[in-house]
């Protein structure tokens, strides 16, 4: 999969976009705990600790994002956060909400290519920084949506 991401990113032009989901799947509490455990087993204690601080996201799996950035270093990076589809985890959930009755809110952050860190370890910290920012944004959106 990483090689395919690298190949696709290397062929991008100025009018192309490559969309990846570095967390690797939809959030569930069980997936979150498994991801944290996986980080701990790999000896990535700092990443595991940061992941424990995120309530709404799985930790990023950086290899795909880093492969895309390395293959197309002139591309800007855009992070997208959203709320409103949070409870749609299973096919039954989606079917129950058809037609979609959810209010969806999204926020985009664009990072110019020149501002993307060059070192792999810095990029991993940078990805986690953005994940924490997205997690905080989701928390704020949910707080604002609560009645009263």
């Amino acid at each position: 999969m990483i090689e395919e991401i690298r190949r696709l990113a290397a062929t991008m032009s100025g009018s192309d976009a490559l969309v990846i989901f570095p967390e690797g799947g939809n959030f569930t509490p069980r997936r979150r705990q498994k991801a944290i455990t996986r980080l701990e087993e790999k000896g990535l204690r700092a990443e595991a600790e940061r992941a424990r601080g995120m309530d709404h996201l799985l930790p990023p799996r950086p290899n795909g994002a880093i492969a895309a950035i390395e293959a197309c270093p002139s591309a800007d990076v855009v992070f997208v956060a959203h709320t409103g589809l949070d409870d749609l985890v299973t096919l039954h959930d989606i079917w129950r909400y058809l037609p979609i009755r959810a209010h969806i809110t999204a926020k985009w952050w664009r990072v110019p290519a020149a501002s993307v860190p060059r070192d792999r370890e810095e990029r991993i910290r940078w990805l986690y920084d953005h994940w924490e920012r997205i997690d905080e944004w989701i928390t704020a959106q949910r707080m604002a949506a609560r009645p009263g």
Side-chain angles (χ1 to χ4, degrees), residues 55-56 83 86 103 138-148:
D55 297 321
H56 311 292
T83 61
D86 315 338
H103 176 80
I138 292 170
T139 297
Q141 296 305 303
R142 287 185 174 180
M143 297 292 285
R146 287 186 181 159

Side-chain angles (χ1 to χ4, degrees), residues 39-52:
L39 290 168
E40 290 169 338
E41 289 171 350
K42 290 181 177 181
L44 301 171
R45 288 173 178 47
E47 289 87 347
E49 188 60 33
R50 291 182 82 173
R52 273 197 251 347

Side-chain angles (χ1 to χ4, degrees), residues 26-65:
N26 291 334
F27 176 91
T28 67
R30 183 172 178 259
R31 285 182 179 165
R32 176 181 177 268
Q33 187 53 54
K34 283 177 73 173
I36 292 168
T37 300
R38 187 173 49 249
L39 290 168
E40 290 169 338
E41 289 171 350
K42 290 181 177 181
L44 301 171
R45 288 173 178 47
E47 289 87 347
E49 188 60 33
R50 291 182 82 173
R52 273 197 251 347
M54 292 185 278
D55 297 321
H56 311 292
L57 300 173
L58 300 177
R61 300 172 89 174
N63 291 338

Side-chain angles (χ1 to χ4, degrees), residues 26-29 31 55-56 82-98 100-105 138 142 145-146:
N26 291 334
F27 176 91
T28 67
R31 285 182 179 165
D55 297 321
H56 311 292
H82 63 82
T83 61
L85 301 175
D86 315 338
D87 297 325
L88 304 183
V89 177
T90 68
L91 187 56
H92 178 266
D93 296 335
I94 295 167
W95 193 253
R96 187 181 68 213
Y97 273 88
L98 289 175
I100 295 292
R101 294 183 295 268
H103 176 80
I104 301 167
T105 304
I138 292 170
R142 287 185 174 180
R146 287 186 181 159

